[in-house]
Amino acid sequence: MTEHVALRVCVACKQKKPKEELIRLVRIPEGKIELDPTGKRLGRGAYLCKENECIKKAIKTKRLERTLKRPISQDIIYLLNQGVEK
Ligand SMILES: [Zn+2]
């Protein structure tokens, strides 16, 4: 038996990666999009690599909005950009 690794697809580059290597965004029941650092929040999720390129691409192409069917607030975009500047 192979070891089970939960793979998720990045919305920007479409590559499959282990959950831990991705940023999770979640649409909470109230309809807002929030970052989910724990990866355990309830709601529809979208995954993104922690790569500068993927974050920029996802914002530019509105891939996150399309996946989650909600607008992404400027706060979240700011936080995502902050995350990559490190
Ligand atoms: Zn990616």
Side-chain angles (χ1 to χ4, degrees):
M1 231 176 90
T2 51
E3 199 187 332
H4 179 76
V5 181
L7 293 174
R8 294 293 181 272
V9 179
C10 165
V11 297
C13 66
K14 304 285 179 193
Q15 276 186 61
K16 276 186 189 164
K17 296 197 174 179
K19 271 176 86 170
E20 298 77 49
E21 290 176 25
L22 300 164
I23 300 166
R24 182 173 192 251
L25 286 106
V26 64
R27 191 177 84 198
I28 59 169
E30 292 80 36
K32 257 180 75 184
I33 309 297
E34 295 193 344
L35 285 172
D36 177 18
T38 65
K40 289 180 178 138
R41 294 186 64 175
L42 217 63
R44 188 189 172 96
Y47 293 85
L48 199 53
C49 300
K50 292 172 183 168
E51 309 286 332
N52 211 336
E53 253 176 69
C54 286
I55 292 171
K56 289 221 157 74
K57 188 177 170 188
I59 293 169
K60 213 177 131 195
T61 60
K62 302 199 179 295
R63 208 57 79 65
L64 290 167
E65 274 100 328
R66 253 186 282 162
T67 304
L68 296 166
K69 304 194 192 330
R70 283 288 184 285
I72 310 292
S73 72
Q74 288 304 311
D75 291 1
I76 297 298
I77 291 172
Y78 177 79
L79 284 173
L80 284 173
N81 281 319
Q82 284 288 302
V84 262
E85 302 299 326
K86 271 181 223 160

